[in-house]
Amino acid sequence: MARTVGALIMREVSSTYGKRVGGYLWVILEPIAGIVLLTLIFSVALRTPPIGTSFAVFYATGLMPFMFYGTLSAAVASSISFSKPLLSYPAITVTDAIISRALVNSITGLLVGYILFSILLGIEETRTNPQIGQIALAYGMAFVLALGVGSVNAFLFAALPEWQSLWIIVNRPLMIVSCVLFMYDDVPHPYDDYLWWNPLIHVVGQMRKGFYLTYPGDYISPVYVFSVGLVLWVIGTALLLRYHREILFEW
């Protein structure tokens, strides 16, 4: 299994980044451009960010875990179609395809986050004190949630092609309802009770808790996020293992 996953990882890296000019450079520039744009727009309208003193760090703490989740869940969801020609070989399983894509994209996301935050903390006085344990917990929550959502979608995209288009529509307002651009604490009641059920609220809140020591984040529930992600992962994996032949040869 290790050799199979290793080979799939090499294929993933070469096909996803090797054929693009700049390769990994564009993966790093994309979030930087987004954060710069958000900083310029909102710094004109607001005197200070909702928390802390740096607009760039505030939006980075929301955008980076959100993009990590989005990129990883999309990669896992497309893992079957991406590796479908290879899945006809007995040595390669559906689980191998998911694990390889999850590892490549999660490592890439962590690397991009490390580079971006290192740049931001190095070029300006942010008055933040990053806590590695808290930040790692946020990324762990995002990873498990993305793996669960992606596994279920990997099955649904193959069984119901229409679901992929519907999923894109459903996800369009996700950045707004995940409190990437504002604080969950500022959401008025009773809308805050509704938003609480969005697991990404907790992921973004946990990331900000890791940077801002004075931020309590009392609403954050890692248990809830891990439970949702693990349940979805079990369901998605069970469906993929049960119907993998239909996915490969009939659907």
Side-chain angles (χ1 to χ4, degrees):
M1 179 179 178
R3 293 179 61 185
T4 301
V5 171
L8 290 174
I9 287 176
M10 296 301 297
R11 174 177 178 266
E12 170 78 15
V13 172
S14 61
S15 60
T16 303
Y17 305 107
K19 296 181 179 180
R20 297 162 58 182
V21 178
Y24 269 99
L25 179 62
W26 293 112
V27 181
I28 300 172
L29 291 178
E30 182 181 359
I32 291 178
I35 291 169
V36 170
L37 181 61
L38 289 173
T39 300
L40 292 175
I41 293 174
F42 286 97
S43 61
V44 173
L46 302 173
R47 288 187 176 183
T48 58
I51 187 173
T53 60
S54 171
F55 280 97
V57 172
F58 173 76
Y59 293 120
T61 54
L63 191 62
M64 292 311 299
F66 179 81
M67 291 184 64
F68 180 88
Y69 158 82
T71 302
L72 180 57
S73 62
V76 173
S78 61
S79 58
I80 304 303
S81 58
F82 182 80
S83 300
K84 194 171 184 177
L86 301 177
L87 291 174
S88 58
Y89 295 98
I92 301 177
T93 66
V94 171
T95 305
D96 296 334
I98 291 177
I99 291 176
S100 61
R101 296 214 85 185
L103 287 176
V104 170
N105 286 273
S106 59
I107 293 173
T108 300
L110 290 173
L111 178 62
V112 171
Y114 175 79
I115 294 174
L116 180 61
F117 284 119
S118 297
I119 293 174
L120 292 178
L121 297 177
I123 64 176
E124 64 174 328
E125 176 56 48
T126 62
R127 296 184 182 179
T128 59
N129 187 9
Q131 302 296 306
I132 300 301
Q134 300 285 359
I135 296 172
L137 177 58
Y139 273 113
M141 293 161 63
F143 176 84
V144 173
L145 180 63
L147 187 63
V149 173
S151 297
V152 171
N153 279 337
F155 169 77
L156 292 177
F157 287 174
L160 303 170
E162 299 80 6
W163 172 248
Q164 188 166 1
S165 300
L166 181 60
W167 181 252
I168 294 174
I169 296 174
V170 171
N171 273 272
R172 283 177 180 171
L174 192 59
M175 178 182 291
I176 298 176
V177 300
S178 298
C179 294
V180 172
L181 306 179
F182 53 90
M183 299 293 292
Y184 171 81
D185 310 75
D186 297 331
V187 178
H189 189 74
Y191 304 107
D192 57 341
D193 290 339
Y194 304 146
L195 286 180
W196 187 91
W197 296 101
N198 176 6
L200 285 173
I201 292 285
H202 305 262
V203 174
V204 173
Q206 179 61 41
M207 177 64 81
R208 286 178 172 149
K209 185 177 180 179
F211 277 83
Y212 302 100
L213 293 180
T214 58
Y215 183 56
D218 297 330
Y219 62 90
I220 300 170
S221 176
V223 174
Y224 170 65
V225 178
F226 284 124
S227 298
V228 172
L230 289 173
V231 168
L232 291 176
W233 175 73
V234 170
I235 294 174
T237 303
L239 290 172
L240 288 171
L241 293 177
R242 169 62 180 80
Y243 295 102
H244 70 280
R245 293 187 179 276
E246 289 84 348
I247 292 173
L248 293 179
F249 303 112
E250 296 182 17
W251 294 346

